[in-house]
Amino acid sequence: MLDTTPPATLTPPRGTPSGAIAAPRYRNPFSVLIKHRNFRIFWFGQTGSLIGTWMQQVALGWVVLELTNSPFLVGVEAAAGSLPVLLFTLFAGVLADRRDKLVLVRITQSLLLFEATLLWWFNWTGHVTIAILIGIALFGGTANAFDIPTRQALIIELVGRDDIVDAIALNSSGFNLARIIGPSFAAIIIDRLGLAWCFAANALSYLLVLLSLFVIRLPKKIIEATTLSPTEGFLEGIRFMRKSREVSLLVSLVTVYSIFGIPYLVLMPVIARNTLHGTAGTYGLLLASVGLGAVTGAFALAMIGRRVRRGRVHAAAAFSFSALLVAFSFSRNLWLSVALLFATGCTMILNNALANGLLQTITPDHLRGRVMSAYAFVFVGMAPVGSLLSGSVASALGAPAAIGIGGGVLMLFALWVFGKRPELRRL
């Protein structure tokens, strides 16, 4: 029988209210960077690479819209990048638990460098078509299916269990700092050099992350031999997640969040052009406002430490995020939309980082790769469902209606989870 007892480091000291988490060892949100050399190298490399990724994201959404003039095909292309995660990531978690995670991440990041190079080549030569873009998205999605759970499970090896929540919050801040900088750079490059060079910039950024990964030095880790087949290892992880009530609730919440919440980002080029009557620069501004809000939320999470019950913060963030999506769906003013997206980004990252951090802290080390693969499966792999669904609704009723309906569904599910299931509020 699998042990689902939370690690001893989660036990609050005497005098701490039941359900609360002990006072933080660090108030400075950057302390984890100062303390851990390997994580510092990893963070700077990842953040630099993600700037290129967001530049590519801006350019890709605009290229698809220009090629097809179809909100539905914008959703199809986004879904193609996530579909392989749905197919392969659960078994990728088994691989992550049985192999050197750092080596696996080096391989997957090299494959993503190749994806960015292909996008640059086809756009620069003028041979790009929607079929080619979907094919490249499937290739990149396959690399991500193995990269995401392995990279998430690697973080604890860089910082240790005590600092994992702060590291996840800071990692989220880097992701969203890139969300601010990347679209801004993309708008400049698109205006002066053309869309193709956003893909070239992303390819160059992968060289930065690969350099950082080869500089990281970890102690040799002995991975225990197992007689379980990959399928049996996969089923072992599923049994643990089903048995742990907290894990199953968190995974279900992330699933609904991925299907009905995240697609608002996929529809952002449609909102920028058709609803706000803007340009690629407007699209970049909207994404940058989401990123600025997300950075603010990530830093706030790292600073509050462990004095508050993170389950309660998660509940507040879930309700706020869904309400903000509904409000954004009614906005027809650029600057009101920017303000709403700032708040949306803040609550979005709180949902994401808290779900990730809580999952990692209540999961045993030998199962972490598989639990993180389940997290990637629902967070990224279920995105094709959300992208196709939102694209279909946007084609029939308009992008604002698709976003508002998604926010309403999220609100109802959050009311059920946090109102009827007290386990999460006690974390």
Side-chain angles (χ1 to χ4, degrees):
M1 185 170 61
L2 293 173
D3 181 14
T4 59
T5 304
T9 52
L10 294 180
T11 303
R14 291 180 182 179
T16 302
S18 176
I21 303 177
R25 296 172 66 184
Y26 304 107
R27 289 293 184 185
N28 182 350
F30 298 102
S31 294
V32 68
L33 282 179
I34 298 170
K35 181 179 178 182
H36 300 284
R37 169 191 174 272
N38 284 330
F39 182 70
R40 183 166 64 249
I41 295 170
F42 175 85
W43 188 85
F44 279 108
Q46 287 289 312
T47 303
S49 178
L50 285 167
I51 291 173
T53 299
W54 278 109
M55 293 173 68
Q56 175 170 299
Q57 188 71 16
V58 170
L60 193 55
W62 208 256
V63 166
V64 174
L65 197 58
E66 283 190 345
L67 281 174
T68 66
N69 198 35
S70 168
F72 177 72
L73 287 176
V74 172
V76 169
E77 191 280 333
S82 302
L83 181 60
V85 178
L86 186 66
L87 298 176
F88 304 126
T89 195
L90 290 176
F91 283 98
V94 178
L95 183 66
D97 282 332
R98 298 183 178 187
R99 295 291 184 271
D100 188 316
K101 296 179 182 64
L102 182 58
V103 173
L104 289 176
V105 172
R106 288 170 182 167
I107 294 170
T108 56
Q109 293 287 304
S110 298
L111 293 174
L112 291 169
L113 164 62
F114 183 60
E115 178 206 18
T117 305
L118 286 177
L119 285 169
W120 166 74
W121 172 257
F122 282 108
N123 279 273
W124 182 59
T125 59
H127 293 115
V128 65
T129 65
I130 186 62
I132 287 173
L133 291 177
I134 290 173
I136 294 175
L138 289 169
F139 172 81
T142 302
N144 273 319
F146 291 86
D147 178 77
I148 295 170
T150 309
R151 184 159 39 86
Q152 291 293 324
L154 175 66
I155 294 177
I156 199 167
E157 297 185 13
L158 303 177
V159 300
R161 185 181 291 274
D162 288 346
D163 292 328
I164 183 62
V165 174
D166 288 343
I168 290 170
L170 196 57
N171 206 44
S172 298
S173 73
F175 176 87
N176 288 284
L177 184 64
R179 192 199 297 266
I180 300 170
I181 299 172
S184 302
F185 283 3
I188 296 171
I189 290 179
I190 291 170
D191 182 59
R192 298 187 179 182
L193 300 175
L195 287 162
W197 293 99
C198 288
F199 304 117
N202 187 37
L204 289 174
S205 75
Y206 275 113
L207 295 177
L208 176 64
V209 74
L210 284 171
L211 175 63
S212 71
L213 290 170
F214 278 98
V215 172
I216 289 173
R217 294 289 180 268
L218 292 174
K220 188 68 175 178
K221 184 177 180 180
I222 299 175
I223 301 174
E224 294 184 9
T226 177
T227 59
L228 297 179
S229 69
T231 301
E232 290 170 332
F234 162 74
L235 293 175
E236 180 187 25
I238 295 296
R239 284 194 296 270
F240 165 74
M241 288 181 276
R242 291 182 62 184
K243 184 176 180 181
S244 171
R245 188 67 171 270
E246 292 84 357
V247 169
S248 61
L249 283 172
L250 283 167
V251 170
S252 67
L253 189 62
V254 173
T255 303
V256 176
Y257 172 89
S258 177
I259 294 173
F260 295 99
I262 293 300
Y264 86 98
L265 292 171
V266 174
L267 294 173
M268 206 55 63
V270 184
I271 292 289
R273 194 187 72 170
N274 297 351
T275 304
L276 300 176
H277 309 292
T279 64
T282 307
Y283 176 37
L285 177 63
L286 295 178
L287 287 184
S289 64
V290 174
L292 183 60
V295 170
T296 303
F299 284 157
L301 179 60
M303 291 178 71
I304 62 174
R306 291 178 250 182
R307 287 191 180 275
V308 298
R309 289 175 179 168
R310 290 196 173 100
R312 290 185 176 180
V313 177
H314 197 185
F319 293 131
S320 300
F321 176 68
S322 56
L324 286 163
L325 285 180
V326 174
F328 175 72
S329 71
F330 287 98
S331 175
R332 299 298 181 269
N333 177 272
L334 174 60
W335 296 110
L336 175 60
S337 297
V338 167
L340 288 170
L341 286 176
F342 173 85
T344 302
C346 182
T347 54
M348 177 183 70
I349 207 61
L350 289 175
N351 276 288
N352 183 18
L354 283 166
N356 188 322
L358 290 171
L359 280 172
Q360 294 226 41
T361 52
I362 63 180
T363 299
D365 289 342
H366 71 285
L367 291 168
R368 183 167 289 105
R370 277 162 281 185
V371 171
M372 286 297 96
S373 72
Y375 172 83
F377 175 82
V378 298
F379 187 69
V380 181
M382 294 303 294
V385 179
S387 296
L388 292 172
L389 181 61
S390 63
S392 299
V393 175
S395 294
L397 303 177
I403 293 171
I405 291 170
V409 173
L410 278 177
M411 175 67 76
L412 293 174
F413 192 77
L415 285 170
W416 177 77
V417 169
F418 291 104
K420 300 295 185 181
R421 298 290 186 268
E423 294 92 334
L424 291 187
R425 296 199 307 274
R426 290 197 296 260
L427 289 175

